[in-house]
């Protein structure tokens, strides 16, 4: 690839520091037996960094353009998304209501950070994660009835506007790969709400990047991820007026461990290896499990290098995941 297409102009605010580094991981590669590169989106430079910063640049621009004064979103009590969304909204002078599933828990980690910036936190009282979506809509209705202008957002900000974040990241990384003369076979990442993988899938197809985008699910069943990614990627591509991807998204199962938000044995082992070889701490809920998936695929002989691993952040949960 000699030149990189630009993303059509979309309303965007600046939150992060881009481009994030694309670094070799020589010691990890030597142990794994495959050349691995790290795309450091833990270093997006807003809050404590992480992948959600990219989507928020487009989502909050959209909220501002619509004249909204309240962000309403949510997730689990430890959600990286919820904290970063509230933080971004606060810097723009918007209030936030965060809806958490379950019953009240002591504010540690991301929830303590959200409290520090005075986000209002409400619990659904229902352990079902999908209860968040229902209450987000209800809170938005309450705010409208009170004469406010809410901007409701689903968990993870996984909608076509949010997916623009990783379309833009695809453009950014394509330029880095060109500069490095690097042609990876695959880009691996953890997949939760699916917005990140959707943006990357749409971006790789649009830019003819030549690498496969491989998500390791950390929460949802594979079939649900595949559907969500395909739908979101098609919508994101349509939004910028380019052809949508045709292949079925690739999602790897088998590394959720005891459940979403909980540590897994193979994830912890993978995180330990990465910390000891590269001096990088992968979060236990997303990054560790995705790296476990990549290392297992390498051991099966299913990976030809070089590959890029997307480091998605999640630093606050390093200290709060038992
Ligand atoms: C949200 C999140 C992910 C997953 O991204 P999705 O777009 O929700 O699939 C991965 N890693 C971290 C640290 C996250 O906070």
């Amino acid at each position: 690839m000699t030149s990189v297409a630009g993303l059509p102009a979309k309303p965007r605010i600046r939150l992060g520091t881009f481009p994030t580094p694309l670094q070799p991981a020589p010691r990890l590669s030597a142990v794994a037996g495959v050349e691995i590169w790290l795309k450091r989106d833990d270093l997006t430079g807003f809050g404590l960094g992480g992948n959600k910063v990219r989507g928020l640049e487009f989502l909050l621009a959209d909220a501002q353009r619509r004249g909204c004064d309240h962000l309403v979103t949510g997730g689990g009590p430890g959600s990286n998304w919820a904290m970063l969304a509230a933080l971004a909204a606060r810097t723009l002078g918007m209030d936030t209501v965060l809806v958490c599933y379950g019953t009240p828990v002591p504010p540690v980690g991301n929830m303590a950070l959200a409290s520090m910036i005075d986000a209002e936190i409400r619990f659904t009282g229902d352990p079902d994660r999908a209860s968040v979506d229902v209450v987000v809509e209800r809170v938005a209705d309450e705010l409208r009835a009170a004469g406010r202008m809410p901007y409701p957002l689903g968990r993870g900000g996984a909608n076509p506007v949010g997916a623009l974040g990783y379309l833009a990241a695809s453009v950014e990384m394509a330029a880095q790969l060109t500069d490095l003369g690097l042609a990876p076979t695959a880009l691996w990442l953890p997949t939760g709400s699916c917005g990140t993988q959707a943006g990357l899938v749409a971006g790789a197809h649009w830019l003819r990047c030549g690498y496969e985008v491989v998500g390791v699910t950390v929460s949802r069943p594979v079939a649900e991820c595949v559907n969500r990614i395909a739908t979101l990627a098609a919508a994101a591509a349509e939004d910028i007026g380019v052809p949508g991807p045709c292949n079925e998204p690739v999602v790897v199962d088998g590394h959720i461990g005891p459940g979403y938000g909980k540590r897994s044995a193979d994830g912890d082992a993978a995180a330990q290896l990465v910390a000891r070889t590269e001096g990088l701490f992968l979060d236990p809920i997303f990054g560790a499990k995705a790296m476990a998936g990549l290392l297992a695929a390498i051991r099966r002989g299913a990976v030809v290098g070089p590959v890029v691993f997307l480091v998605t952040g999640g630093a606050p949960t390093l200290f709060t995941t038992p």
Side-chain angles (χ1 to χ4, degrees):
M1 197 187 310
T2 50
S3 71
V4 173
L7 194 68
K10 289 281 169 190
R12 177 175 187 177
I13 55 162
R14 285 290 170 178
L15 294 172
T17 307
F18 302 114
T20 59
L22 176 60
Q23 302 173 333
R27 293 163 299 269
L28 174 63
S29 301
V31 175
V34 164
E35 184 181 341
I36 300 172
W37 289 69
L38 302 171
K39 177 64 173 162
R40 296 291 303 274
D41 275 9
D42 54 323
L43 301 179
T44 51
F46 179 79
L48 293 168
N51 61 338
K52 301 306 184 307
V53 174
R54 291 191 186 265
L56 282 166
E57 292 198 339
F58 293 95
L59 290 165
L60 284 175
D62 188 48
Q64 275 197 322
R65 200 173 54 85
R66 293 167 191 268
C68 296
D69 52 25
H70 271 73
L71 179 67
V72 187
T73 188
S79 167
N80 300 311
W81 156 253
M83 183 278 283
L84 285 168
L87 187 63
R90 177 59 77 222
T91 62
L92 299 177
M94 291 170 72
D95 288 322
T96 300
V97 180
L98 292 181
V99 178
C100 295
Y101 54 80
T103 48
V105 291
V108 295
N110 277 313
M111 210 201 277
L113 298 176
S115 304
M116 181 201 283
I117 55 163
D118 226 11
E120 181 185 335
I121 300 169
R122 299 198 199 175
F123 287 84
T124 67
D126 181 341
D128 183 0
R129 298 207 291 276
S131 66
V132 169
D133 310 339
V134 179
V135 177
V136 162
E137 288 308 323
R138 197 187 305 149
V139 172
D141 285 341
E142 276 173 32
L143 287 167
R144 279 185 208 105
R148 301 294 163 80
M149 293 278 282
Y151 190 74
L153 273 176
R155 288 170 285 151
N159 69 23
V161 176
L164 289 171
Y166 273 89
L167 268 172
S170 302
V171 176
E172 174 185 311
M173 199 172 86
Q176 291 175 313
L177 292 173
T178 301
D179 285 351
L180 290 162
L182 188 67
T185 60
L187 169 60
W188 282 68
L189 75 152
T191 282
S193 68
C194 301
T196 302
Q197 191 171 351
L200 290 172
V201 162
H205 180 75
W206 166 40
L207 301 169
R208 299 182 210 284
C209 293
Y211 52 74
E212 185 169 57
V213 180
V214 183
V216 178
T217 181
V218 303
S219 59
R220 298 166 196 264
V222 167
E224 184 183 336
C225 292
V226 167
N227 278 330
R228 284 174 66 88
I229 294 162
T231 307
L232 269 173
E238 193 185 329
D239 190 32
I240 63 163
V242 302
C246 14
N247 296 341
E248 184 162 289
V250 180
V251 179
V252 171
D253 201 0
H255 300 279
I256 297 176
Y260 173 64
K262 302 195 171 105
R263 288 180 179 281
S264 66
D266 64 340
D268 283 358
Q272 194 174 69
L273 174 65
V274 173
R276 291 179 183 189
T277 51
E278 299 299 335
L280 166 70
F281 295 115
L282 293 177
D283 80 290
I285 298 173
F286 295 94
K289 291 176 179 180
M291 182 58 78
L294 171 57
L295 294 174
I298 290 173
R299 280 195 300 272
R300 286 197 306 274
V303 179
V304 177
V307 297
V308 177
F309 181 87
L310 179 68
V311 184
T312 50
T317 65
L318 283 167
F319 309 104
T320 55
T321 312

